[in-house]
Amino acid sequence: MTSYLVLEAPDGADPQGLSTRFVADRFSWLGFIVPWIWLGANRLWLFAVLAILLQILAGALSTVSGFEVAGALCALTLALLTGFEGRNLLIRHLTAKGWETKDIIVAPDLATAETIHFSMTADEPSPETAVVKPEWKTSSQGVSRLADSDAAGLFQFDFSGRR
């Protein structure tokens, strides 16, 4: 099961849910393999440029004799940080822009998380679709003799459905 953080845009939620964003709290494989592409795809431009520069520096460091392992470790560290903490960075970036955290949902996949969230936030039914509740009238007219003689309350309804 994965935890999904539900974020709504600064201008509020729209009825169709198009301004609602679900961010999964899990490892990002694309962020691990190519950090700068994952950061750029999530519009974290400054961090994407920094990731490119750090990868170039790590590659240049690994060509210097005696620093091959240090360059590889720097590149691996960047990949691990982006894979594990990239989504946290995305959440912090969105909340700094005014997005509001609305809910945390645990679900097996994104479709289930969306279904759970939007079913919980559904508005009350409109008056046209609301269920009409019957009016119960308590009167002693038409009550069967069997119900009158029932002291224990075993027969609460008579045969025509009245109380």
Side-chain angles (χ1 to χ4, degrees), residues 27-39 55 75-87:
F27 186 78
S28 171
W29 283 102
L30 184 61
F32 176 72
I33 296 169
V34 280
W36 59 274
I37 289 179
W38 186 88
L39 292 166
Q55 283 187 327
L76 180 65
T77 302
L78 174 66
L80 285 172
L81 279 173
T82 307
F84 280 115
E85 294 297 325
R87 295 182 195 264

Side-chain angles (χ1 to χ4, degrees), residues 9-131:
D11 55 350
D14 60 344
Q16 291 82 24
L18 298 176
S19 65
T20 304
R21 187 157 181 185
F22 292 81
V23 181
D25 185 22
R26 64 177 173 218
F27 186 78
S28 171
W29 283 102
L30 184 61
F32 176 72
I33 296 169
V34 280
W36 59 274
I37 289 179
W38 186 88
L39 292 166
N42 286 297
R43 296 182 169 205
L44 300 168
W45 306 116
L46 179 64
F47 295 106
V49 171
L50 288 174
I52 290 172
L53 292 175
L54 286 174
Q55 283 187 327
I56 291 171
L57 289 173
L61 185 62
S62 66
T63 60
V64 177
S65 68
F67 290 101
E68 295 88 5
V69 176
L73 286 175
C74 286
L76 180 65
T77 302
L78 174 66
L80 285 172
L81 279 173
T82 307
F84 280 115
E85 294 297 325
R87 295 182 195 264
N88 187 23
L89 185 63
L90 174 63
I91 291 168
R92 287 177 179 262
H93 177 71
L94 290 174
T95 54
K97 285 184 144 187
W99 288 66
E100 286 187 48
T101 304
K102 289 297 179 184
D103 200 3
I104 297 175
I105 298 174
V106 178
D109 58 351
L110 179 61
T112 307
E114 289 174 343
T115 303
I116 290 169
H117 174 70
F118 290 122
S119 67
M120 289 188 319
T121 59
D123 293 330
E124 292 295 319
S126 62
E128 301 87 39
T129 62
V131 177

